[in-house]
Amino acid sequence: MLLDDAAQRVLVVVAHPDDADFWVGGTVARWTGAGVEVSYCVLTDGEGAVVDRRIPWHEVGGLRRSEQQRAAALLGVKTVRFLGLREDGVGSDPHGVREELVRVVRDVRPDRVVTWSPESGWRRFLSRHPDHVATGAAVLTAVCPAASGASAQADAGDNEGPGPWAVQEVWLFDSSRRKVNYYVDITETFDRKVAAVRAHVSQIRNPDQLADRLRRRIAPNTAAAGSAAGRLAEAFQVLLTG
C-alpha cells in the first residue's frame, strides 16, 4: 500500500455533486496540501435534490455544478469532470458508464482511485442511494481489468489517445465497519472540509450547525481508529489492485 500522501495523482469518482466533500473532503485537503494532484469525476448533476424548492428544475444542474467547482477549489482540487448522467440513472447502462470511466482513468492516470463502496446494506440504508452503489460497481470494473487492458469501446476511434493504465489502489468510502481497514486523520483539515461542504448552498439546511453535524457524523471513526480524544478521521476500505 502507498503511504497516505505518497500518490502523485488521485482520482475521486462520485455519483453527485457534494458526495466527495461530505465523505472525503478532509482527506482530499490533506493530500492536496502535500502536493498530490487530485481530480474529481462527478457522474450526475444531482438535479433531483435542492433545499429551496423554489429553484426552477432546469437550473438545478448548473447550480450544483457551480457549487461543486467552488467546493473543489477550496480543497485544492484543480480539475472537475462532469459526465452529465441522469440522476437515478447511473445503473441503467453499466457497460456504457464503465467505458466512460475507462477513458477518464486512462486520461488522468491516477495512482489511487477513491469512490463509493458498491455494497448494499440495510444498516447504511440512508447512504445507499442506487447511484452510489452503481458508481462504486462501475468504478471497480473500470479500474480492473478494463482500464489496464483491452477495452474495445473505449479504444474505438481513439488509437492515438492514452493507452491502458494500471491503478495501484482503490479507496472505498462508506464501507461497512467490519471492512474498513484504514483511517486518515483530518483534524487539521476539518475546517477546510466544512468550508467545502458549505459551498453546496443548495443542499445545506441550517449552515451554522454544519460543523457540529459533520463532527458528530465522523466521531465514531475516532474510537475505531484508536485515536486520541478530540481527533477526527475519515474511514476507508483500501483495496490493492496488483
Side-chain angles (χ1 to χ4, degrees):
M1 176 175 158
L2 296 174
L3 295 176
D4 180 12
D5 54 3
Q8 293 183 330
R9 293 178 300 277
V10 174
L11 173 64
V12 182
V13 184
V14 292
H16 313 108
D18 81 17
D19 286 353
D21 310 309
F22 266 106
W23 285 90
V24 300
T27 300
V28 168
R30 174 169 166 161
W31 288 339
T32 60
V36 178
E37 181 181 323
V38 180
S39 301
Y40 280 2
C41 179
V42 184
L43 301 194
T44 81
D45 293 340
E47 67 274 13
V50 287
V51 171
D52 187 350
R53 297 299 179 181
R54 295 172 298 180
I55 300 174
W57 178 83
H58 66 274
E59 296 180 6
V60 173
L63 173 62
R64 297 207 65 189
R65 285 194 182 203
S66 297
E67 291 173 346
Q68 180 61 91
Q69 289 169 326
R70 287 195 295 272
L74 289 169
L75 296 178
V77 176
K78 294 183 170 56
T79 304
V80 182
R81 301 164 185 255
F82 298 97
L83 295 193
L85 303 180
R86 178 178 58 81
E87 185 169 11
D88 297 328
V90 174
S92 62
D93 180 16
H95 181 75
V97 173
R98 185 196 71 188
E99 296 303 326
E100 286 290 337
L101 290 174
V102 168
R103 294 186 182 96
V104 173
V105 169
R106 289 180 175 182
D107 187 45
V108 176
R109 306 182 91 70
D111 306 301
R112 176 181 297 148
V113 170
V114 182
T115 193
W116 284 100
S117 166
E119 291 182 297
S120 295
W122 290 111
R123 288 191 176 184
R124 295 172 299 124
F125 180 72
L126 292 179
S127 63
R128 297 288 79 199
H129 188 293
D131 283 346
H132 299 170
V133 176
T135 296
V139 171
L140 287 177
T141 57
V143 165
C144 186
S148 59
S151 182
Q153 184 172 326
D155 291 337
D158 191 26
N159 294 330
E160 297 182 1
W165 177 256
V167 174
Q168 296 184 52
E169 301 173 348
V170 178
W171 289 34
L172 303 177
F173 57 87
D174 197 29
S175 292
S176 60
R177 287 286 176 192
R178 62 188 175 84
K179 293 187 177 180
V180 169
N181 58 7
Y182 196 74
Y183 296 88
V184 176
D185 189 311
I186 64 161
T187 309
E188 280 72 36
T189 56
F190 179 72
D191 288 345
R192 290 179 66 190
K193 173 188 177 84
V194 174
V197 175
R198 194 187 296 273
H200 297 277
V201 177
S202 70
Q203 306 301 298
I204 305 301
R205 292 186 176 89
N206 303 317
D208 293 342
Q209 301 173 17
L210 177 61
D212 288 339
R213 292 203 305 273
L214 290 174
R215 190 175 285 108
R216 289 194 301 270
R217 179 176 179 171
I218 63 176
N221 295 337
T222 300
S227 301
R231 305 301 292 182
L232 298 168
E234 290 174 338
F236 300 90
Q237 178 186 358
V238 178
L239 307 175
L240 304 183
T241 63

